Amino acid sequence: MAIANLRIQPRFPTWPVYLAGLLPALFYIYQIFYGDLGADPAKTLEHAMGEWALRFLILGLAITPLRRELGIGLLKYRRAVGLVAFLYVILHLTVYLLLDQGLDWPAIWADIVKRPYITIGMAGFVLLLPLAVTSFNAAIRWVGGRNWNRLHKLVYPAVLAGAVHYVMLVKSWPVEPLVYLAIVVALLGWRVWRRA
């Protein structure tokens, strides 16, 4: 049964969410300068940015169930969490395009076409683009509240694409990517059950 009254309602402003969201990126920048990213720094950085993107996307997806089922009111932070997630998606993509592929566009296109996990990852990125562009008050007014809500449901297939991309990327069955996928499926399944 859903909890009607919120029991936990944080009062802090949204800027600490952005600040906390930047900490992992700053940590990896520090590691770049001190040579702590291992034998293949570009791959390590690419994977790390992708993992953080998925973590923040999952956190954003969890906000509504936390509110409805546990009475934890984090709704005012959802936009900040989503924008931080998109920042990590951009960083993940930038590392892939610049450091991994050297902006070799024919090779990048071949990767997108021939490797299903990259195709799925790019599809997730394309789905997130309109969400990031319309994540501001002026865009919400321009699009209209109802249309904005419909548009932002694209986050569901985008997060699922990110989780599947991660599972396919590792080319084996380690626990971590499967745990992320299971969490995403559970959160999406909750929405189907609750029709949220």
Side-chain angles (χ1 to χ4, degrees):
M1 179 185 237
I3 295 172
N5 297 318
L6 298 181
R7 294 191 308 220
I8 301 171
Q9 184 76 43
R11 301 291 183 197
F12 60 86
T14 56
W15 67 263
V17 176
Y18 291 105
L19 185 61
L22 289 175
L23 291 178
L26 294 174
F27 171 73
Y28 284 101
I29 289 170
Y30 168 85
Q31 287 195 313
I32 289 169
F33 284 109
Y34 285 89
D36 291 338
L37 289 179
D40 193 347
K43 278 294 180 193
T44 301
L45 192 61
E46 183 181 336
H47 292 166
M49 295 302 99
E51 287 174 359
W52 278 105
L54 188 55
R55 288 171 189 146
F56 281 109
L57 285 168
I58 289 171
L59 179 59
L61 207 60
I63 286 174
T64 297
L66 287 172
R67 180 175 179 269
R68 288 239 193 135
E69 304 299 336
L70 300 178
I72 301 172
L74 301 174
L75 202 58
K76 70 182 274 189
Y77 308 109
R78 185 163 58 187
R79 182 188 309 185
V81 169
L83 288 172
V84 169
F86 188 71
L87 168 67
Y88 282 98
V89 170
I90 291 292
L91 291 173
H92 175 62
L93 182 61
T94 300
V95 173
Y96 166 73
L97 295 175
L98 191 60
L99 301 183
D100 189 7
Q101 295 295 326
L103 296 180
D104 182 347
W105 297 108
I108 291 164
W109 179 249
D111 248 5
I112 294 170
V113 171
K114 293 178 181 176
R115 296 187 181 184
Y117 76 91
I118 294 181
T119 308
I120 291 169
M122 285 294 183
F125 169 68
V126 169
L127 290 171
L128 288 174
L129 268 176
L131 310 190
V133 170
T134 59
S135 286
F136 304 94
N137 291 334
I140 296 169
R141 288 192 297 271
W142 180 66
V143 173
R146 185 173 294 178
N147 291 331
W148 186 88
N149 281 329
R150 285 197 200 105
L151 178 65
H152 278 249
K153 290 187 187 304
L154 288 175
V155 73
Y156 305 150
V159 177
L160 184 59
V164 171
H165 168 74
Y166 188 23
V167 169
M168 294 175 73
L169 167 70
V170 294
K171 300 180 178 67
S172 61
W173 298 101
V175 172
E176 189 176 5
L178 294 174
V179 168
Y180 284 123
L181 180 60
I183 293 170
V184 169
V185 169
L187 290 170
L188 294 178
W190 178 88
R191 280 169 166 78
V192 172
W193 174 59
R194 296 287 298 163
R195 298 182 186 276

